[in-house]
Amino acid sequence: MSYLLLFLTGFLISRVSVRYHLVERFFARLFKARSDSFKQFLLYLLIASAVVSMFTPNFIAALTLLPMLNTLAESFEQQHDPRLARRLATIMVCVVMYGCNIGGMGSLVGSPANALMLGALELFKVAGREKINFLSWFGWSLPLVGIMITLAWAQSVYLFVPKAQRNEGIDIPEFRVRPAHAGRVRFAWLAIAIWFGFWALHSTLQLLLPVSGWRFTFANFEVGWNLWDKLAAVFGVAFLVLLFAPLFRNHNQQREPLLRLADIFNELPVRAFAFVAAILAVSGLLISLKVPEWLGQHLVKLIPPDLPPFALYFFLCFITTMATEALSNTTVAVVLFPLVYHLALSLGLEPLVTLMAIGLASTNAFMLPLGTPVNALLYGGVKEVSLWVMAAAGLMLNLLSALWLAGFLEFVIPWYYGL
């Protein structure tokens, strides 16, 4: 239940950002000197999307950035020939996609796959599981994410951005706030800070101080209800009041809300949502046909049993990542966790490390719109994105991430948790 409220209030935050052009204004101020290059802009964009996605649903992070991406894509069309404009827009979209997915590895609440991994560790009573918590995760995840961001940025800039455009200045339009909105922009930022602070604290306490509660099933979904869910519900109601109640004075000294009901639907990327719905429908069809189970059993058989640990972790990570390009990452994780647990026992590997390999790698879908809802949203939400460039860049990053994860899983994680 808490995750549902996180998503719903996060969606409202994205609408606040759209109404007051907060993302555009932030980057315009960051680049106010107009001397920063396109490659620097890509780095800032990648870091921003990764950091936000560590603590909020990455779908919301992508939705918040989408209006700015469309504005810049249109400016590329005006400044460059169609082919180059499409290349620049595609790389920009890919960078946001990379950041959102990489950020999912950065915190224990960054991706549903991480929560599923905790459940699998508890289900199989894996030794060392008690050492994993919200705070200990950051000790190794921040270096992991930092290197991944560096790899994604370097690949995007030096392999897919033409040399002439790498150091070219980027002009982010200044969004002038209407007089009626001028006094409320700071309150909009304050609302975002309150939202972010509450959910960061809520997620931390929920993991550090677990409490029991009752559960019920609705439409085949199991929904929990405990103390933390109640606090989230209270916050949700209070946050709705903050956004929709006429609490703030405009330039005429009349009280108005931060957000109107009409703002929920204004400028929604209908094309992108339709594309996401189509992708989810395809995934649902594959799940109903039991394709994930069949695929998971055959994928595990592809791994040679006599390989050294580094090579085994590489194969696990790469196979998992490639599987998520056709199926949802949560589905891949659920199917592979039991298979990989028994594989680890038969090969003498640490079950905790092998299950972490699946959890982390299932978040790294960089290649196709099918990979994650974020991929589908960005591909469908920005016009003229080149699928071929997206696939080529994503395939290379899939390979690089599998290599980096394999080394991290063999040398860093066992040392960090004393395995």
Side-chain angles (χ1 to χ4, degrees), residues 122-194:
E122 189 62 36
L123 176 66
F124 297 118
K125 307 299 180 186
V126 175
R129 66 189 185 282
E130 68 283 351
K131 299 178 181 180
I132 298 179
N133 57 50
F134 185 82
L135 297 178
S136 72
W137 189 278
F138 287 114
W140 58 264
S141 69
L142 295 182
L144 175 70
V145 168
I147 296 297
M148 281 296 300
I149 287 175
T150 303
L151 291 174
W153 175 78
Q155 174 197 283
S156 301
V157 169
Y158 294 105
L159 295 183
F160 293 95
V161 175
K163 187 175 181 179
Q165 275 67 50
R166 292 172 193 166
N167 295 311
E168 185 179 75
I170 182 168
D171 184 14
I172 300 178
E174 288 279 7
F175 286 84
R176 301 296 180 184
V177 179
R178 290 183 294 173
H181 290 171
R184 278 175 284 160
V185 169
R186 63 189 180 95
F187 292 113
W189 283 115
L190 179 61
I192 292 177
I194 291 172

